[in-house]
Amino acid sequence: MQSLKRPYLGELEMAVLEHLWSHGEFDAKGVYNALGKTRGISHNTIQAALERLFKKNLLARNKISHA
């Protein structure tokens, strides 16, 4: 039997997931407005957290236009 490997999640990654679970789908700007501003972190930091969660197969994404 193959053991499942549980990905390590940082504090920001957990906060992002909890926000998305509670409030539904958001784009990076929406997550930034909800979490980034109050934490004093940049939009790029939120984007990086979302990208890490996507690479860990914990989020799906839909490409809209060039964004």
Side-chain angles (χ1 to χ4, degrees):
M1 185 152 93
Q2 191 177 23
S3 69
L4 296 176
K5 197 173 185 183
R6 196 168 153 180
Y8 171 77
L9 297 177
E11 189 268 332
L12 178 59
E13 291 171 330
M14 278 301 301
V16 168
L17 280 179
E18 288 173 359
H19 177 74
L20 294 172
W21 289 333
S22 298
H23 298 92
E25 293 182 9
F26 273 88
D27 60 3
K29 191 176 203 174
V31 176
Y32 170 73
N33 288 332
L35 298 176
K37 287 182 178 180
T38 59
R39 291 170 172 256
I41 56 179
S42 73
H43 184 267
N44 287 343
T45 301
I46 294 293
Q47 285 181 311
L50 290 166
E51 180 67 21
R52 287 192 306 273
L53 290 168
F54 175 75
K55 286 181 178 179
K56 292 177 182 181
N57 292 317
L58 296 173
L59 286 182
R61 62 182 173 193
N62 298 319
K63 186 169 175 125
I64 300 172
S65 179
H66 68 283

